[in-house]
Each structure stands twice: as C-alpha cells, then as structure tokens.
Amino acid sequence: GENVEQHPSTLSVQEGDSAVIKCTYSDSASNYFPWYKQELGKRPQLIIDIRSNVGEKKDQRIAVTLNKTAKHFSLHITETQPEDSAVYFCAARYNNQGGKLIFGQGTELSVKP
Amino acid sequence: DGGITQSPKYLFRKEGQNVTLSCEQNLNHDAMYWYRQDPGQGLRLIYYSQIVNDFQKGDIAEGYSVSREKKESFPLTVTSAQKNPTAFYLCASSMRGLAGASSYEQYFGPGTRLTVT
C-alpha cells in the first residue's frame, strides 16, 4: 500500500557538521517529493522539494537527492546551525490518489552548539 | 503568517461533544486538506477537497466530517464517534489537487490543538 518510511527518527549533530535524512516510498508513479521543517508548536514549512524528472536540487545549505530506481530520496543539510534544530518530514505525492501527499514519520534533528 | 488561518489555536471539549475546527484561506487555492498530527508521528490525512462542493476521505476519516461550500473555507467537525480525538490538527491548501497542476506545494495553517477530556 501507500507508504513513506523515514530514517532516522532522531538525529543529533554538532554545529557545523552535516546531517542526512533518508526516505523511501512505495509508489513508483510518485512524481513530487517535498521536505518540510516543523519547529515546536508551529506549522510545517516547505524547505525544499524535487520532482521526479530531476535527480538533485540545492538551495544554499540544503540539498535533496532522488533515486527513482531505488525509490528513495534524501535531505542533506551542510554546515548545520542550532536554528536548524526541528522536526523534518519528507513526503511523496501519489498520483493515483488525487495527488495526495503521504508523509514520513519525521526526524527530530538536534544541532548542538 | 497570513494566507491560511485556523481558529482557535487551543480548544477544549468534553467527551461526547462534537466540535468544529475552522480553516480559511485567501490564497485562491482550489484544494484543501485536513491532517492530524500525534506526538512522534507524521501527518495523517483525514479529508481533502479538490474543488468546491466535493471532498474525499483520507486515511483516517472515521469519526470526522467536512464540508466545502465555499472555496475559502473547509471546516472539520470532530464527532463523538472519534475514539481518540485529542491531537494537533493542521489544515493545508494547494493551488490544485488534480494531476497536471503547475504547483504541488501545500501551505499549512498554524494548527489547532484539540484536547478532549
């Protein structure tokens, strides 16, 4: 069935290090993969997204890579800062369900100064 | 924080009572969504609407109902049939929900934290 698996569930890094979060999806027809950042008690906010016709996308310290064959995509944050601490969610868009998004379970990232 | 709003921010109800959560957007978006978020879990889709006067069940629709009489508004009613209603509820909207959309991005409201005792 429809599923998005996200790992790890928690991640702790030192300031300045890189962080990588990985997701796998089940529907090969999925064509859109967003990443959201959610600070405590706040709304999720889109930080980067990628479509299925692209293998990689970068925006300053954030990058996302997509491997359609393996059906997995990853978020890479370089030079992490304490303000990067938050919960990050990946999602995949399912074409055969009216385009709804299926979300991963979330990764709580902690950046220690 | 304009664009999509939810009210109230916190809501307390007694068990057995129905409660309606408000969601309004001024982004001229066709599609709207309701999600439920529990601690340590991702967002789970309750209902979604791709166009006025139409909506579909998501993955966890039991015990919930919605209406979409206006493009700007998508209220969610949590009924007494919902066995575990205490949660953080998020509303979202996107330009279009149908295939072929130029933008798939979903914009979220600030959420309503519902506590039922």
Side-chain angles (χ1 to χ4, degrees):
Chain A
E2 308 150 358
N3 193 37
V4 175
E5 293 287 335
Q6 182 173 346
H7 298 280
S9 56
T10 60
L11 180 59
S12 181
V13 300
Q14 287 295 131
E15 183 176 0
D17 288 350
S18 295
V20 180
I21 303 170
K22 299 182 179 181
C23 290
T24 59
Y25 59 98
S26 57
D27 184 3
S28 58
S30 294
N31 65 345
Y32 173 69
F33 307 91
W35 284 90
Y36 285 86
K37 175 183 180 182
Q38 186 179 30
E39 296 176 355
L40 191 62
K42 301 284 184 65
R43 73 184 83 193
Q45 296 204 305
L46 182 74
I47 55 171
I48 196 167
D49 56 14
I50 192 169
R51 297 207 180 195
S52 57
N53 58 348
V54 176
E56 182 175 0
K57 184 177 178 181
K58 289 186 73 171
D59 183 3
Q60 300 182 339
R61 296 186 297 109
I62 295 173
V64 56
T65 58
L66 172 65
N67 183 328
K68 286 176 58 180
T69 303
K71 291 189 284 188
H72 67 70
F73 56 111
S74 300
L75 177 71
H76 305 254
I77 306 174
T78 59
E79 301 171 26
T80 54
Q81 300 165 4
E83 50 264 39
D84 292 331
S85 297
V87 179
Y88 292 81
F89 292 98
C90 64
R93 182 180 184 275
Y94 281 74
N95 278 335
N96 63 349
Q97 295 282 335
K100 70 178 186 181
L101 293 180
I102 301 295
F103 284 82
Q105 296 86 348
T107 296
E108 183 174 0
L109 174 64
S110 175
V111 181
K112 299 185 186 306
Chain B
D1 281 348
I4 180 165
T5 59
Q6 292 183 244
S7 61
K9 188 171 182 179
Y10 298 97
L11 191 53
F12 298 88
R13 280 294 182 270
K14 294 290 187 185
E15 197 173 314
Q17 293 179 332
N18 291 355
V19 59
T20 297
L21 281 59
S22 165
C23 178
E24 304 278 331
Q25 53 97 3
N26 62 3
L27 301 167
N28 199 32
H29 285 171
D30 289 306
M32 297 186 74
Y33 312 81
W34 273 106
Y35 294 92
R36 170 184 172 134
Q37 187 173 31
D38 295 285
Q41 296 195 37
L43 285 69
R44 292 185 290 167
L45 185 64
I46 304 172
Y47 268 97
Y48 62 107
S49 168
Q50 296 173 331
I51 198 167
V52 175
N53 292 322
D54 187 42
F55 49 83
Q56 290 81 38
K57 292 182 179 180
D59 302 314
I60 54 166
E62 186 175 348
Y64 299 98
S65 65
V66 293
S67 63
R68 186 85 188 277
E69 297 176 0
K70 298 187 299 181
K71 188 175 186 177
E72 305 80 24
S73 179
F74 190 41
L76 173 75
T77 296
V78 184
T79 75
S80 56
Q82 167 50 232
K83 297 197 184 324
N84 187 16
T86 294
F88 187 47
Y89 290 88
L90 286 158
C91 179
S93 69
S94 66
M95 195 175 296
R96 289 186 189 86
L98 300 173
S102 58
S103 173
Y104 299 135
E105 181 179 352
Q106 289 189 17
Y107 295 80
F108 283 87
T112 292
R113 190 167 298 279
L114 173 65
T115 302
V116 177
T117 56

